[in-house]
Structure formats: C-alpha cells, structure tokens
Amino acid sequence: MHFISEELEAYVEQHSQNEPELLVRLFKETHQKILQPRMLSGHFQGRVLSMLSKIINPKNILEIGTYTGYAALCLAEGLQKEGTIDTIDIKEELVSIQQKYFNLSPWKNQITAHLGNALEVIPTLNKKYDLVFIDADKENYIHYFNLIVPIMNKGGILLSDNVLWSGKVLEEVNPKDTSTKILLEYNQMVNNDPRVETVLLPIRDGLTVSRVL
C-alpha cells in the first residue's frame, strides 16, 4: 500500500542520500532470489535508519528480524568504532545471503547473527542496548517490547516497523487477523507506556520511534 503517490515516493528517494553500492547489490539479489522481497527496508527507509543510527551513535544495537541483512547494514553505519550488532532471525534459508553481505561490509567483525526464536535468544544476550529495531513477526511485538525495554540504556531508541500494517489499523478487523489485532494493541500500549516517549512516523509502512526514559 502506498500512503503517498509513487511519483512522490520517487521524488523523496531522489532527494535523499544514495544507497551505498553494497546495499544496491543486496537489494538486487534479494529481489532476484528471495521470496517476499517487499519485506526489505529499501532505499528511503534504509537511509532513515542510517541517519537515526548516526545521530544516536550507539555502542550496542539489537535487531529482531534480520531478513537478508539490509537494515542491519544501514544501522551499522552509525555504530561506534568498538560497537556491536546482535541481529536475530528464525529462517535458516536466509543465513547464506546475510553472511555474504555482512562479510563484505566494514562491520563483519562487529555483527553477530543469531539463528533462532528471538524470545529465547534475547534473554541470553548479556548487553545493554542503545538502539533496537523490531521488524519481525507482529504477533510477538508486545512480548519483544517487554523483553527489550529493561535491557536498554536510558535515552536509548527503540524502533518498531510496520506499525501501520498497510493501513489495516484503520479498517474493521477480521476476527482471524491476529497480526492486525496485536498491532492495534501494541500501538496503544507503546504510546501509553510510562517507560518511553513515542512518536509514530508515517514512513513506508509506519515506523514508531520510542525513547527510553
């Protein structure tokens, strides 16, 4: 779903920083070889993630939902020199393309890709995070949020993707549509949670920015 016209989206991309060449290659290979390439962050949102990370200059980043690694590489652009990224995905078939592009990047020794259920992996990570990006199964967004906030540093930024869910958040909810029901609950919960302050940005499919208080 396009929230603005395709022509205006094209104009926005044309007047935003270009993608690094490595990400251009990853974008192309994802569309050639991987099912549901729409899940990729893409040029504009990728530059937003990069800019936010550069502003925050995080020491430790956590990403839930690696997919092919595009967003992780965007977030890595703002990482401190000795910083780290932990990124988690449950799909084993994506590991080869993730590792290919992580190893081609300047951050190959700083990115750790975890294969498994994020709800099980997160409690094993012995770090405090400055920047977190949630972009995984919507049914667990609330669980992820409640696991993550306690392991974030004060002032840390938590980003939640797909919170507008192609506009379904404004439509009558199908009783069988668990993802939309959870996202509606999540959006309300995050906006009212006293541990964070939140703004929902209408970027691509909706990007919530929450700052830990």
Side-chain angles (χ1 to χ4, degrees):
M1 179 175 180
H2 291 273
F3 294 102
I4 60 176
S5 70
E6 293 187 34
E7 293 80 9
L8 199 52
E9 282 189 357
Y11 183 87
V12 168
E13 289 194 4
Q14 290 163 9
H15 292 81
S16 299
Q17 191 76 29
N18 290 332
E19 300 166 282
E21 178 59 30
L22 183 64
L23 292 182
V24 174
R25 290 164 54 191
L26 173 53
F27 182 92
K28 183 177 180 181
E29 185 167 346
T30 299
H31 279 74
Q32 289 174 335
K33 299 180 179 179
I34 306 297
L35 294 174
Q36 296 180 306
R38 182 179 179 273
M39 292 173 61
L40 196 78
S41 290
H43 177 190
F44 174 59
Q45 184 172 346
R47 291 306 86 204
V48 171
L49 296 177
S50 168
M51 182 66 75
L52 289 172
S53 185
K54 288 172 181 174
I55 292 169
I56 298 161
N57 189 216
K59 179 180 180 181
N60 294 317
I61 297 172
L62 172 62
E63 178 186 44
I64 304 174
T66 314
Y67 193 49
T68 58
Y70 188 101
L73 292 172
C74 293
L75 294 169
E77 294 177 34
L79 200 59
Q80 292 181 22
K81 186 176 180 181
E82 303 300 325
T84 68
I85 297 180
D86 290 289
T87 181
I88 309 168
D89 205 289
I90 202 166
K91 295 182 179 178
E92 188 173 0
E93 66 269 23
L94 297 175
V95 170
S96 60
I97 190 170
Q98 294 167 8
Q99 290 302 321
K100 173 182 176 180
Y101 284 90
F102 291 162
N103 288 335
L104 288 170
S105 79
W107 307 282
K108 63 181 180 180
N109 296 321
Q110 295 168 270
I111 300 174
T112 300
H114 303 266
L115 178 64
N117 185 325
L119 295 175
E120 297 173 358
V121 174
I122 292 170
T124 71
L125 302 173
N126 188 27
K127 293 179 185 176
K128 296 284 279 186
Y129 292 94
D130 307 296
L131 177 59
V132 177
F133 183 41
I134 305 177
D135 186 17
D137 55 312
K138 312 313 163 194
E139 291 86 350
N140 280 311
Y141 264 37
I142 292 171
H143 298 305
Y144 295 145
F145 181 87
N146 286 320
L147 273 177
I148 289 165
V149 171
I151 61 171
M152 292 189 69
N153 287 315
K154 183 178 179 180
I157 299 296
L158 192 161
L159 305 172
S160 309
D161 200 16
N162 304 118
V163 291
L164 294 179
W165 208 222
S166 298
K168 291 181 182 179
V169 291
L170 293 180
E171 300 172 359
E172 184 176 350
V173 180
N174 185 321
K176 297 181 180 179
D177 186 354
T178 304
S179 295
T180 300
K181 287 193 289 185
I182 293 294
L183 281 173
L184 285 167
E185 184 179 347
Y186 179 78
N187 290 340
Q188 183 174 359
M189 181 198 74
V190 172
N191 194 41
N192 294 325
D193 193 304
R195 296 174 294 177
V196 298
E197 57 182 351
T198 291
V199 60
L200 196 165
L201 304 177
I203 292 173
R204 197 164 174 260
D205 194 25
L207 181 70
T208 293
V209 181
S210 302
R211 177 176 174 270
V212 178
L213 299 176

